[in-house]
């Protein structure tokens, strides 16, 4: 079985990313609270930056096919800080969807092999969209 060794930067980055998602969720649950949403955005961005590095983060956000997605994400970030929580969050979610839409088949391919979730994904019929049959480069 292959083990994943993470250095301390990746562990901190993943923790901050998860914390950012948690704060964003809390911000939505508390009726689009500006403070929680802003903390979630900052923690999410810091977590991604610490996980993959500054150069790779900048390259990810400004790569050729992702300018529109990045513009929506950062517009939403700005709108949340200015107090427009609902509109900003909608813009951010659309930007995040566009940024990570190529990752969804890989995520589904991973989730298909989980005990309960995999059965549910196969029952719904989403397993045909997964990359579980393709060999991913290591």
């Amino acid at each position: 079985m292959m083990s994943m060794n993470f250095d301390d930067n990746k562990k901190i980055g993943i923790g901050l990313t998860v914390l950012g998602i948690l704060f964003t969720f809390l911000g939505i649950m508390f009726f689009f609270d500006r403070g929680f949403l802003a903390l979630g955005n900052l923690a999410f961005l810091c977590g991604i930056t610490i996980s993959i590095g500054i150069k790779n983060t900048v390259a990810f956000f400004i790569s050729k096919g992702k300018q529109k997605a990045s513009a929506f994400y950062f517009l939403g970030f700005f709108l949340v800080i200015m107090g427009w929580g609902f509109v900003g969050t909608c813009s951010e979610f659309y930007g995040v969807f566009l940024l990570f839409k190529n990752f969804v088949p890989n995520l589904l391919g991973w989730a298909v092999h989980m005990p309960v979730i995999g059965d549910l994904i196969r029952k719904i019929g989403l397993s045909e969209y997964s990359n579980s049959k393709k060999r991913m480069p290591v």
Side-chain angles (χ1 to χ4, degrees):
M1 182 172 179
M2 184 179 14
S3 67
M4 297 184 135
N5 295 326
F6 293 121
D7 62 350
D8 289 338
N9 284 341
K10 289 203 187 301
K11 289 177 187 176
I12 292 170
I14 291 170
L16 279 174
T17 304
V18 169
L19 196 64
I21 293 169
L22 175 70
F23 276 132
T24 301
F25 178 73
L26 285 174
I28 292 170
M29 292 301 295
F30 291 132
F31 302 109
F32 296 95
D33 180 59
R34 185 171 89 173
F36 276 122
L37 291 173
L39 280 173
N41 290 337
L42 288 173
F44 182 76
L45 278 177
C46 288
I48 288 184
T49 303
I50 291 173
S51 293
I52 65 174
I54 293 173
K55 189 169 98 174
N56 290 336
T57 302
V58 171
F60 176 74
F61 279 109
I62 65 171
S63 65
K64 186 176 180 184
K66 297 186 179 179
Q67 286 106 2
K68 177 181 165 185
S70 299
F72 271 103
Y73 180 76
F74 287 114
L75 174 70
F77 186 89
F78 178 73
L79 288 173
V80 164
I81 290 174
M82 296 307 292
W84 291 64
F86 181 74
V87 177
T89 303
C90 290
S91 176
E92 282 179 1
F93 281 167
Y94 183 64
V96 166
F97 172 74
L98 291 177
L99 282 169
F100 295 105
K101 70 180 178 183
N102 294 334
F103 182 66
V104 171
N106 294 332
L107 185 65
L108 281 174
W110 174 73
V112 163
H113 299 292
M114 294 178 73
V116 175
I117 296 172
D119 295 335
L120 187 66
I121 289 172
R122 283 188 286 280
K123 185 181 254 188
I124 293 173
L126 292 176
S127 62
E128 65 189 47
Y129 299 109
S130 71
N131 283 341
S132 64
K133 294 169 186 65
K134 296 178 184 174
R135 176 95 174 138
M136 300 303 293
V138 177

